[in-house]
């Protein structure tokens, strides 16, 4: 049984039918589906941007295996998911980690690391690989939020800047390529002589305007209020570049973190679910990469199906008498206006 957490004595920040933990593709689709079923929803994510792995690791890549999209850029897919949920009043609590899950009469209370709480009739855990923690570049830490970032949610924000990207994987190369047409200058610094990124991307990189500096390490950052210069070493030589932005694309570590302490049955650090995507805790579902069952394949399209299944089952639990299968969306699309007429389970 999950522990009752101390934060529950604060007033609820939100009281909804469905609380979704994680704003990756599966969580965002669960939020849409809740709205489609006439349920109010809140989505909480530890990252400042929605999109989970897609936004944090590969927003510029094309995906070719998402149902209904012959090819879609990661960033576009996430924008589309947000747009799909937009007719409903979904609330997004970003930059907050869900640290606790406690049973209450009629549902569950989630508590967040900033002391907030969300009361919900049902919970959908879509925590993917868990909370992402960026691998940091020690000398750049004092400039976090003042020029130093770990991913590039909106490349346009770097227009006209001198940008240094650090790293040798796909994210570093993709971001350097995305920034080059916008930034005043883009330099990619990698401590090895070869890149781990896709061969095609590396060919593009060397054909682009990106200044590529290999066998070099960033050793210092300078600037009074914000980042102004980056110093790096190559062999015995030390260079200084003007730089108003440094993107440390060194990867992320991830782990289930607090989710593992909520009394939920786990198998190999994944949440075990039944055919309704329900965990061992009644009313608590799990979808996407965080869940497991025999034969599960970790793909976005699979997570979408699981989100639909979980929310349809939650709808029946929250409103006994409702049908498991929804009306076809092509027959009746319940927009925000229609939804307002349906009383919320949490308001009851
Ligand atoms: C480089 C790369 C390329 C890929 N290409 C493809 C592809 O082409 N096609 C495909 O189908 N799949 C692809 N994948 C896999 C795909 O990205 C994942 O299957 C998908 O992102 C899983 O979605 P999700 O919503 O389950 O979880 P995630 O995307 O992992 O999102 C989970 C979210 O939960 C949040 N979270 C976790 N714990 C908490 C907490 N306690 N409180 C608050 N928030 C929390 C995290 O911050 C995160 O934002 C690729 C993956 C990588 C790394």
């Amino acid at each position: 049984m999950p522990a009752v957490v101390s934060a529950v004595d604060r007033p609820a920040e939100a009281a909804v039918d469905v609380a979704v933990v994680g704003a990756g593709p599966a969580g965002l689709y669960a939020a849409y589906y809740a709205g489609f079923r006439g349920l109010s929803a809140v989505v909480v994510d530890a990252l400042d941007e929605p999109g989970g792995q897609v936004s944090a690791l590969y927003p510029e890549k094309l995906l070719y295996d998402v149902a209904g999209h012959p090819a879609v850029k990661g960033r576009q897919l996430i924008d589309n998911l947000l747009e799909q949920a937009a007719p409903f009043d979904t609330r997004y609590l970003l930059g907050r980690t869900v640290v606790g899950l406690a049973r209450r009469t009629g549902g569950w209370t989630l508590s967040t690391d900033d002391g907030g709480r969300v009361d919900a009739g049902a919970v959908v855990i879509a925590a993917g690989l868990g909370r992402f923690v960026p691998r940091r570049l020690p000398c750049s830490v004092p400039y976090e939020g003042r020029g130093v970032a770990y991913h590039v949610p909106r490349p346009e924000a770097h227009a006209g800047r001198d940008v240094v990207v650090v790293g040798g994987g796909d994210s570093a190369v993709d971001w350097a390529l995305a920034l080059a047409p916008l930034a005043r200058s883009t330099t990619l610094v990698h401590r090895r002589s070869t890149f781990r990124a896709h061969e095609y991307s590396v060919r593009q990189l060397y054909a682009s305007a990106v200044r590529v500096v290999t066998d070099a390490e960033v050793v210092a950052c300078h600037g009074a209020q914000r980042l102004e210069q980056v110093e790096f070493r190559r062999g015995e030589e030390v260079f200084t570049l003007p730089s108003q932005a440094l993107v440390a694309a060194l990867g992320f570590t991830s782990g289930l973190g607090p989710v593992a302490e909520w009394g939920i049955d786990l198998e190999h650090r994944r949440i075990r679910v039944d055919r309704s995507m329900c965990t061992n805790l009644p009313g608590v579902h799990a979808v996407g990469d965080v869940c497991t069952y025999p034969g599960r394949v970790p793909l976005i399209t699979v997570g979408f199906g699981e989100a639909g299944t979980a929310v349809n089952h939650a709808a029946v639990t929250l409103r006994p008498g409702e049908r498991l299968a929804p009306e076809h969306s092509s027959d009746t699309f319940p927009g925000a206006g229609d939804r307002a007429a349906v009383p919320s389970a949490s308001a009851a």
Side-chain angles (χ1 to χ4, degrees):
M1 193 52 50
V4 175
V5 286
S6 59
V8 293
D9 55 8
R10 276 182 47 139
E13 232 167 279
V16 288
D17 297 313
V18 180
V20 181
V21 181
L28 293 178
Y29 192 65
Y32 158 75
Y33 217 91
F36 173 60
R37 286 293 316 228
L39 302 168
S40 57
V42 67
V43 184
V44 191
D45 200 295
L47 297 176
D48 292 330
E49 287 284 319
Q53 292 175 52
V54 182
S55 296
L57 302 176
Y58 59 104
E60 299 303 325
K61 283 210 176 306
L62 281 168
L63 291 92
Y64 297 93
D65 60 349
V66 180
H69 295 276
V72 61
K73 221 181 216 195
R75 181 188 311 288
Q76 187 62 52
L77 176 67
I78 299 306
D79 285 349
N80 289 354
L81 285 162
L82 291 168
E83 188 185 331
Q84 194 172 17
F88 311 108
D89 303 326
T90 310
R91 281 186 65 193
Y92 298 91
L93 303 179
L94 300 176
R96 307 198 202 180
T97 301
V98 178
V99 290
L101 175 72
R103 205 193 276 269
R104 65 173 184 95
T105 310
W108 295 90
T109 293
L110 305 181
S111 50
T112 52
D113 58 348
D114 60 348
R117 68 177 251 193
V118 175
D119 289 343
V123 176
V124 176
I125 302 175
L129 303 175
R131 207 177 137 241
F132 291 97
V133 179
R135 289 207 175 88
R136 293 183 151 81
L137 199 59
C139 65
S140 70
V141 171
Y143 291 94
E144 280 176 10
R146 300 188 297 134
V148 170
Y150 297 98
H151 59 118
V152 186
R154 302 284 149 197
E156 320 78 75
H158 294 294
R161 291 182 176 165
D162 300 297
V163 185
V164 172
V165 180
V166 186
D170 277 310
S171 301
V173 172
D174 288 351
W175 282 331
L177 286 169
L179 291 166
L182 302 163
R184 180 163 48 206
S185 71
T186 307
T187 306
L188 177 60
V189 181
H190 179 35
R191 65 194 169 113
R192 304 197 193 286
S193 51
T194 53
F195 288 90
R196 296 185 314 279
H198 284 136
E199 223 179 288
Y200 175 71
S201 309
V202 177
R203 277 204 302 274
Q204 275 188 307
L205 177 73
Y206 279 106
S208 75
V210 176
R211 182 194 298 150
V212 181
V213 184
T214 56
D215 303 294
E217 282 192 66
V218 172
V219 289
C221 292
H222 304 286
Q225 302 300 321
R226 292 183 54 83
L227 182 71
E228 291 169 19
Q229 289 182 327
V230 171
E231 195 177 304
F232 57 98
R233 184 188 302 276
R234 190 179 193 204
E236 295 303 306
E237 290 172 291
V238 175
F239 303 84
T240 302
L241 284 179
S243 169
Q244 302 81 50
L246 182 146
V247 180
L250 304 171
F252 292 82
T253 56
S254 59
L256 270 190
V259 178
E261 286 147 30
W262 295 345
I264 302 178
D265 279 353
L266 301 178
E267 188 180 323
H268 303 302
R269 301 197 54 74
R270 295 281 175 272
I271 297 175
R272 209 181 284 158
V273 290
D274 63 17
R275 288 180 186 190
S276 59
M277 309 310 298
C278 201
T279 68
N280 59 308
L281 304 181
V284 179
H285 299 258
V287 301
D289 282 6
V290 79
C291 78
T292 188
Y293 49 82
R296 181 173 196 274
V297 181
L299 288 174
I300 290 170
T301 296
V302 172
F304 287 162
E306 292 164 350
T309 300
V311 175
N312 280 314
H313 281 273
V316 174
T317 310
L318 291 170
R319 296 176 181 164
E322 281 214 4
R323 286 166 39 157
L324 176 63
E327 299 286 314
H328 286 149
S329 67
S330 49
D331 291 336
T332 160
F333 180 72
D338 298 333
R339 224 202 71 202
V342 182
S344 140
S346 55

